[in-house]
Amino acid sequence: MKKPKKKNLIGRREQVDFPDLGLQNITAKIDTGAYTSALHCHNIRVINGILHFQLLDPLHPEFEDKDHQATVYEQKDIRNSFGEIERRYLIKTRLKMGKRMIRLSISLTNRGTMRYPVLIGRRFLKDRYVVDVSQLDIALANLTTEY
């Protein structure tokens, strides 16, 4: 019989960091219904083969009027929360949740009308986390439980 993998318990909302992007303590919605993860960006454009974007928006308290760049990226059709297909850019970066630092592929999209600037989908969660929807912000308190 296969030994169960150790998984961290998290809540339906967690505080996350994106160290490669200079973002700390950003509220993320944990969404097991979404396949991919998403990060709120605006002014997304490609110039001479380089992806340029700004994180968050001027109304967000962590907003910095800084142009971020990615030389490695891809485009993918992703179904949004309204069921519509959107062509989005995806980048690879590191995400820290609790004490775990994990590399992930995340789509860049305008989430300005959404409550949370980051959405963490099941592709990232699979085989790593168990979600307790009755809890909030518990990743640091729950470091590895067997499920």
Side-chain angles (χ1 to χ4, degrees):
M1 183 185 277
K2 203 174 185 182
K3 186 177 178 182
K5 291 184 178 185
K6 292 185 178 192
K7 299 178 185 179
N8 286 2
L9 182 66
I10 59 173
R12 70 178 183 268
R13 184 186 74 204
E14 293 291 342
Q15 299 302 308
V16 299
D17 298 339
F18 291 93
D20 301 334
L21 301 173
L23 290 177
Q24 295 182 336
N25 208 31
I26 302 295
T27 304
K29 175 184 178 182
I30 309 302
D31 188 348
T32 60
Y35 181 69
T36 57
S37 299
L39 174 61
H40 178 48
C41 293
H42 72 283
N43 201 12
I44 304 167
R45 65 231 182 267
V46 175
I47 302 171
N48 296 326
I50 298 173
L51 180 65
H52 295 259
F53 55 95
Q54 290 181 307
L55 298 170
L56 310 174
D57 61 48
L59 299 177
H60 193 279
E62 298 296 319
F63 174 75
E64 290 180 8
D65 191 18
K66 180 180 177 187
D67 190 54
H68 291 268
Q69 300 178 7
T71 56
V72 177
Y73 59 90
E74 64 178 307
Q75 277 190 296
K76 188 174 180 183
D77 290 333
I78 296 176
R79 189 172 306 276
N80 67 20
S81 59
F82 304 110
E84 302 163 342
I85 299 291
E86 289 181 354
R87 189 103 174 131
R88 292 187 190 170
Y89 290 99
L90 285 91
I91 62 169
K92 291 190 181 192
T93 190
R94 293 179 304 154
L95 178 138
K96 183 178 180 190
M97 185 177 344
K99 294 199 175 189
R100 294 182 80 178
M101 182 85 70
I102 301 170
R103 193 160 173 79
L104 85 156
S105 181
I106 193 161
S107 71
L108 307 180
T109 188
N110 187 334
R111 292 182 53 80
T113 60
M114 305 296 176
R115 178 178 283 177
Y116 303 108
V118 176
L119 180 127
I120 303 297
R122 68 180 180 271
R123 182 176 177 196
F124 176 79
L125 300 169
K126 186 181 179 186
D127 297 327
R128 293 183 181 115
Y129 296 98
V130 173
V131 182
D132 181 344
V133 297
S134 70
Q135 299 290 317
L136 300 171
D137 303 313
I138 62 170
L140 274 172
N142 294 294
L143 302 174
T144 313
T145 305
E146 287 191 36
Y147 290 95

